[in-house]
Amino acid sequence: QVQLVESGGGLVQAGGSLRLSCAASGSIGSIIVMGWYRQAPGKQRELVASITSGSSTNYADSVKGRFTISRDNAKNTVYLQMNSLKPEDTAVYYCNLKGGWWDAWGQGTQVTVSS
């Protein structure tokens, strides 16, 4: 079983920055894809960014140029650096990691951006 622990959410003013972290533990094996999703009130969960084992990245159009996803394979950790935050970035952010035989979600961390 794989467990994910997220950290780094909080309240920030528009234009500010936050860094989210998600660390995996347990019977991990190889991590194929690491990603961050978010869900705002009344909206569907959406992909924010993802990174493959080969370090290929993918970003939602709404965050391109502002957010950066990265991974530390030695620590089984994925990060999301969020800069130039906007009020519309307010949401609960979830990490999702997929391995060879498992698919795990973090508990979610609240990000609130005030105008």
Side-chain angles (χ1 to χ4, degrees), residues 17-91:
S17 298
L18 285 173
R19 188 192 195 206
L20 306 182
S21 301
C22 174
S25 62
S27 301
I28 298 172
S30 297
I31 302 175
I32 299 172
V33 177
M34 295 175 152
W36 288 96
Y37 290 72
R38 66 186 181 187
Q39 187 166 18
K43 295 188 177 181
Q44 289 189 328
R45 189 173 298 188
E46 62 174 355
L47 175 66
V48 176
S50 64
I51 184 167
T52 69
S53 57
S55 296
S56 294
T57 57
N58 180 49
Y59 294 93
D61 288 342
S62 59
V63 307
K64 284 180 180 177
R66 300 188 298 122
F67 290 10
T68 302
I69 189 170
S70 61
R71 60 191 286 170
D72 184 332
N73 292 327
K75 296 181 179 180
N76 293 318
T77 299
V78 61
Y79 305 96
L80 186 68
Q81 178 66 43
M82 305 185 292
N83 298 328
S84 302
L85 282 160
K86 304 176 181 180
E88 50 264 44
D89 293 319
T90 295

